[in-house]
């Protein structure tokens, strides 16, 4: 199943219009499809299939979109402000999508099926739900990748002067430009208007996978989770070259010493061009990995 889902992930990531919902679903499948669970009466319940997982997520998004369409038909919002308030009332209010500080400590907060089930998650995942539901309801909403806190903008990307910003993590709280600037500066970054441009689909997926990698990196017992998140990141057309070394080190940590050492040697060849000292260090790590076979 992993080979099948990764092949679909790679194909979708390289399509003309990659779908971040599908890519995040396929990423979650790396975790969800590997897990069987015991029922209350002690029976082993197999993990769901990829098709079943996809169907459940699409049904949930469609159900929330229906709720939004009904609200639109009733209220007939005429401005981005009214549309943003309507989405906040439906998704943040009636449907109870929101986040809490404790969600940063849970892997489920970055896995789309769990976010849809729990209606809780990280800012970027809740923003993805907002944009996906809004699109199904015929509304224009896009993600905004502020450093440290992902939000959404309601309104046409062609008219940034008329954007209305909302924070799905806080139930759709409306934000002024000053509020957005404060979020950015609180994360230690300078604010500029360019930060309010629509987030690109593959950048969203890379950031989601980065959140999973960071979560697992803080928990050494979850090295395999960090490994699959890193390997999926490497399937994206654009990714930091440093991820190749991260994958090599994770292969060694999960006892695949030969594959990890080979990946380190390949990465060292890249470093030879601009950082020979680091290349030497990486080759020494590769040699040490091979010695662990003895």
């Amino acid at each position: 199943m992993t080979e099948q889902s990764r092949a679909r992930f790679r194909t979708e990531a390289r399509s003309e219009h990659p779908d971040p919902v599908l890519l995040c679903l396929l990423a979650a499948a790396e975790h969800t499809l590997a897990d069987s669970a015991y029922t209350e009466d002690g029976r082993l319940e197999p993990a769901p299939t990829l098709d079943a997982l996809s169907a459940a997520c699409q049904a949930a998004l469609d159900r929330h979109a229906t709720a939004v369409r009904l609200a639109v038909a009733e209220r007939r919002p005429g401005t981005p402000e009214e549309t943003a308030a309507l989405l906040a009332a439906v998704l943040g209010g009636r449907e109870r999508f929101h986040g809490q500080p404790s969600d940063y400590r849970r892997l489920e907060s970055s896995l789309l099926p769990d976010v849809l089930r729990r209606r809780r998650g990280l800012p970027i995942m809740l923003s993805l739900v907002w944009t996906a539901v809004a699109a199904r309801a015929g509304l224009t909403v896009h993600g905004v990748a502020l450093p440290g806190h992902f939000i959404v903008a309601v309104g046409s990307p062609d008219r940034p002067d008329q954007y209305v910003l909302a924070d799905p993590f806080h139930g759709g709280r409306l934000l002024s430009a000053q509020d957005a600037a404060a979020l950015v500066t609180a994360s230690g970054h300078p604010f500029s208007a360019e930060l309010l441009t629509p987030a690109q689909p593959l950048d969203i997926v890379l950031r989601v996978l980065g959140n999973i990698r960071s979560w697992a990196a803080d928990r050494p017992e979850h090295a395999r989770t960090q490994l699959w998140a890193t390997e999926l990141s490497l399937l994206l057309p654009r990714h930091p070259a440093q991820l190749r070394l991260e994958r090599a080190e994770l292969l060694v940590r999960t006892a695949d010493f030969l594959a990890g050492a080979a990946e380190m040697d390949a990465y060292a060849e890249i470093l030879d061009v601009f950082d020979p000292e680091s290349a030497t260090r990486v080759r020494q790590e590769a040699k040490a990995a091979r010695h662990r076979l003895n």
Side-chain angles (χ1 to χ4, degrees):
M1 186 62 71
T2 297
E3 291 184 5
Q4 177 189 354
S5 61
R6 289 198 182 187
R8 289 181 63 181
F9 185 96
R10 181 185 181 92
T11 299
E12 183 64 27
R14 285 163 170 72
S15 66
E16 185 175 358
H17 301 290
D19 180 2
V21 170
L22 176 56
L23 289 169
C24 286
L25 172 62
L26 292 169
E30 292 276 337
H31 174 77
T32 306
L33 300 185
D35 286 348
S36 298
Y38 285 96
T39 61
E40 291 183 359
D41 58 2
R43 292 181 295 105
L44 183 63
E45 188 175 89
T49 65
L50 180 58
D51 287 342
L53 194 66
S54 176
C57 287
Q58 297 299 339
L61 292 170
D62 289 341
R63 185 169 61 253
H64 296 308
T66 297
V68 170
R69 281 196 296 270
L70 290 173
V72 168
E74 178 182 345
R75 302 187 188 185
R76 300 187 180 278
T79 65
E81 289 85 353
E82 292 173 347
T83 301
L86 181 148
L87 288 168
V90 175
L91 296 178
R94 187 187 314 165
E95 304 299 322
R96 305 188 311 281
F97 279 100
H98 69 287
Q100 293 181 355
S102 60
D103 291 316
Y104 284 90
R105 299 192 294 272
R106 300 184 61 140
L107 174 60
E108 295 94 330
S109 300
S110 293
L111 303 177
L112 182 59
D114 291 280
V115 171
L116 289 169
R117 175 179 57 83
R118 298 176 60 238
R119 306 188 187 197
R120 297 268 297 275
L122 297 188
I124 190 170
M125 297 306 300
L126 294 170
S127 296
L128 181 62
V129 170
W130 268 56
T131 58
V133 169
R136 285 164 170 76
L139 303 176
T140 303
V141 178
H142 58 266
V144 175
L146 297 183
H149 197 89
F150 209 97
I151 60 173
V152 298
V154 180
S156 171
D158 299 327
R159 297 295 304 274
D161 57 316
Q162 296 183 8
Y163 282 170
V164 175
L165 304 176
D167 182 1
F169 188 76
H170 290 100
R173 177 172 62 94
L174 300 187
L175 303 173
S176 65
Q178 291 74 23
D179 294 330
L183 285 173
V184 173
T185 54
S187 69
H189 295 82
F191 176 77
S192 66
E194 288 74 20
L195 292 175
L196 299 179
T197 57
Q200 297 303 303
L202 294 184
D203 292 335
I204 293 173
V205 177
L206 184 61
R207 184 159 165 171
V208 170
L209 291 170
N211 289 337
I212 295 172
R213 289 170 39 238
S214 296
W215 177 89
D218 291 336
R219 298 162 177 82
E221 68 275 17
H222 291 286
R224 293 193 180 279
T225 296
Q226 186 180 354
L227 177 59
W228 65 250
T230 302
E231 290 180 336
L232 289 183
S233 300
L234 287 166
L235 293 178
L236 297 173
R238 301 184 306 276
H239 54 261
Q242 178 73 15
L243 289 179
R244 291 190 60 180
L245 180 59
E246 180 175 324
R247 177 178 182 270
E249 292 171 342
L250 288 165
L251 287 170
V252 172
R253 196 184 309 170
T254 54
D256 195 347
F257 303 118
L258 287 179
E263 188 70 20
M264 287 178 183
D265 284 336
Y267 186 69
E269 291 183 7
I270 298 174
L271 291 177
D272 280 333
V273 178
F274 57 89
D275 192 352
E277 184 176 339
S278 293
T280 299
R281 178 184 56 79
V282 171
R283 287 193 175 93
Q284 290 171 344
E285 292 178 6
K287 183 177 179 180
R290 291 189 178 92
H291 285 167
R292 294 178 65 176
L293 288 169
N294 298 331

